[in-house]
Amino acid sequence: MKLLNYTTSYLAGILLAVILVWAAIFYFNMLDEIYDSMDDGLGNQKILVIQKAARDSTVFARRDFEDGYYRLKEISFAQAQHRKDVYQDTLMYMLNEQDYEPIRMLTTVFRHQNRFYELRVITSMVEEDDLIEDLLFALLWLYLGLIASILVLNNILLKRIWQPFYKLLQRLQEFRLEEPSQLVAEPTEVTEFQLLNSTIEKLLQKNIETYTSQKVFIENAAHELQTPLAISLNKLELLAEGQNLQEDQLTQIGAVMQNLERLTRLNKSLLLLSKIENKQFGPVEEVNINEAVQKVVSDFADQATYRNLTIQVQETAICRQQLNPDLALILIINLVKNAIMHNVPGGSVNISIDKNSFVIQNSGKAEPLNDHKLFNRFYKNTDSPGSTGLGLAIAKAIADLYQFRITYEYQQLHQIAVYFN
């Protein structure tokens, strides 16, 4: 949900609650005012009737409300001595409505020529159910009008006010650390947006400097390590070719050379992994995964034969994907090499390709691997001296770079699948 709509939803809820509370208070205050007004009118009518009775004795003959708004009834002194004015709501049958309608009635007592009379004066009143219905409709239209006004305000005024924020978000989405460019902030007079722009600009600049420094360090370290490693290997090879070395000395030199070769492979793998994670590879293009797999299988044919392994490739469709060709080959090489290295003599490697996936199965230990650690760096399930523990980590980094999904499962065969979509 967008920020403006999120704010509007809360505002609409609060506004509804406020209007409901205000409506209840307004309703009871309005009823109180209406009753006060009617009671004042009834009091005035009472005085007029009493004054009229003092002048005209025919008033005392009014016994019901059939042709007027009041009626008189003579009562005893005992009935009259403790009586006070009483205002009450009641119902009366109205001929025009053909139904009982609410009225307001004043019951009072007055004295005339030592005789006591009960006077009842009535007036029509507002029907509360009609009043509530009209008030609810009025409030509903008011609420809808306010919400519509708020939406218009949000989409015209507030959206313009928040424009620098949205521009900043757009530029952050387009920003790439591996291809840094200057982040030009939208001019704004809002202090908070100015602070946000300056803070993000400083943060990005610091990240760019750190990234560049790390990139240069990794490249220099890898390059500087490669040279002494190559020199050391060459010198050891020359030393091993000498004529005066004993067998145990040659064995030790061979062990040292193996470690140096492993260190060389490890250095290259770490550099490759760093470049992948830092997105230092070139632009993407369409890669035919079927052709890449056939090339890699052909390259590993001798190694598979040496280990007495059979490699089968099943193609159900042509798989074309957008990625860097070098990384595509590295991904396939690492998975095929992993399936060969961690296999058993006389085992098999089965590769299947369809339009949106690449699946490789291999025989091996008759137990599942730890799928939570399998793609971690330096995780090795075997003690193979040729393994650096980075092959599957590199494959996972390539998959993550292009948002592919890579999974592992075990069902009599070890299976690693790459889903491109």
Side-chain angles (χ1 to χ4, degrees), residues 62-293:
R62 181 72 58 84
R63 296 291 183 232
D64 52 45
F65 298 105
E66 290 182 358
D67 56 351
Y69 61 90
Y70 67 92
R71 76 175 188 182
L72 289 168
K73 181 175 71 172
E74 186 174 355
I75 59 176
S76 64
F77 172 74
Q79 292 175 313
Q81 61 178 345
H82 299 299
R83 297 283 290 275
K84 296 181 180 179
D85 289 357
V86 176
Y87 296 90
Q88 65 184 103
D89 297 333
T90 186
L91 296 174
M92 179 175 287
Y93 188 80
M94 299 293 180
L95 293 177
N96 60 330
E97 296 289 342
Q98 296 294 311
D99 196 6
Y100 286 91
E101 297 293 331
I103 61 169
R104 186 73 170 170
M105 182 171 65
L106 166 62
T107 303
T108 187
V109 173
F110 70 94
R111 180 179 178 180
H112 180 72
Q113 295 179 356
N114 293 324
R115 301 174 72 177
F116 295 91
Y117 297 90
E118 179 189 75
L119 170 64
R120 294 190 175 186
V121 185
I122 62 171
T123 185
S124 297
M125 65 177 296
V126 178
E127 296 185 34
E128 290 190 29
D129 54 348
D130 292 339
L131 180 62
I132 292 174
E133 183 179 352
D134 293 340
L135 181 61
L136 284 177
F137 276 110
L139 291 177
L140 177 61
W141 285 112
L142 173 64
Y143 178 72
L144 294 177
L146 289 174
I147 294 299
S149 302
I150 291 172
L151 290 174
V152 172
L153 180 67
N154 281 350
N155 286 278
I156 296 178
L157 179 60
L158 293 184
K159 185 175 273 190
R160 181 176 301 175
I161 294 174
W162 282 85
Q163 194 67 27
F165 176 76
Y166 291 120
K167 290 286 186 182
L168 180 62
L169 283 182
Q170 181 180 356
R171 290 189 174 94
L172 286 175
Q173 288 176 336
E174 297 171 353
F175 183 82
R176 294 293 179 269
L177 192 59
E178 64 275 10
E179 298 176 1
S181 59
Q182 186 178 4
L183 186 70
V184 181
E186 187 79 7
T188 177
E189 297 179 358
V190 180
T191 304
E192 288 79 5
F193 288 159
Q194 292 175 353
L195 179 61
L196 179 63
N197 290 337
S198 62
T199 303
I200 289 179
E201 185 177 355
K202 292 177 183 177
L203 180 63
L204 289 180
Q205 187 61 38
K206 184 67 176 176
N207 285 342
I208 291 171
E209 293 174 359
T210 303
Y211 169 79
T212 304
S213 175
Q214 181 185 18
K215 176 182 173 184
V216 171
F217 171 78
I218 291 172
E219 291 176 350
N220 290 341
H223 177 73
E224 294 300 326
L225 281 173
Q226 286 296 111
T227 302
L229 285 173
I231 293 173
S232 299
L233 281 170
N234 288 335
K235 288 186 175 182
L236 286 173
E237 288 176 358
L238 292 174
L239 181 61
E241 292 174 359
Q243 299 178 356
N244 300 323
L245 294 178
Q246 298 179 3
E247 185 175 352
D248 59 338
Q249 292 175 324
L250 289 173
T251 302
Q252 292 179 2
I253 291 175
V256 173
M257 291 180 65
Q258 284 184 350
N259 286 329
L260 287 176
E261 288 173 352
R262 182 177 179 278
L263 186 58
T264 302
R265 291 194 301 273
L266 184 62
N267 183 56
K268 291 180 179 179
S269 297
L270 285 173
L271 179 60
L272 174 62
L273 191 57
S274 176
K275 286 184 176 181
I276 293 171
E277 292 177 344
N278 292 331
K279 302 178 182 179
Q280 294 177 235
F281 281 83
V284 301
E285 58 184 75
E286 186 177 82
V287 177
N288 189 317
I289 301 297
N290 302 62
E291 293 178 357
V293 169

Side-chain angles (χ1 to χ4, degrees), residues 323-392:
L323 73 160
N324 181 272
D326 294 332
L327 290 183
L329 280 175
I330 292 171
L331 172 65
I332 297 169
I333 287 171
N334 282 4
L335 294 180
V336 173
K337 183 178 179 181
N338 178 79
I340 292 174
M341 288 184 62
H342 301 289
N343 216 313
V344 293
S348 63
V349 176
N350 303 320
I351 301 173
S352 60
I353 307 169
D354 63 21
K355 185 177 181 180
N356 295 310
S357 68
F358 164 71
V359 180
I360 182 166
Q361 297 176 322
N362 66 276
S363 52
K365 287 186 177 181
E367 59 182 19
L369 304 177
N370 189 333
D371 56 349
H372 297 292
K373 297 181 179 180
L374 185 62
F375 298 102
N376 293 348
R377 297 185 184 185
F378 304 113
Y379 173 76
K380 293 192 294 183
N381 194 52
T382 64
D383 297 327
S384 174
S387 174
T388 61
L390 292 173
L392 292 182

Side-chain angles (χ1 to χ4, degrees), residues 24-43:
I25 296 173
F26 174 77
Y27 173 74
F28 288 110
N29 285 337
M30 184 173 60
L31 276 185
D32 185 64
E33 189 63 31
I34 291 174
Y35 280 125
D36 285 344
S37 178
M38 287 191 297
D39 291 348
D40 290 342
L42 289 173

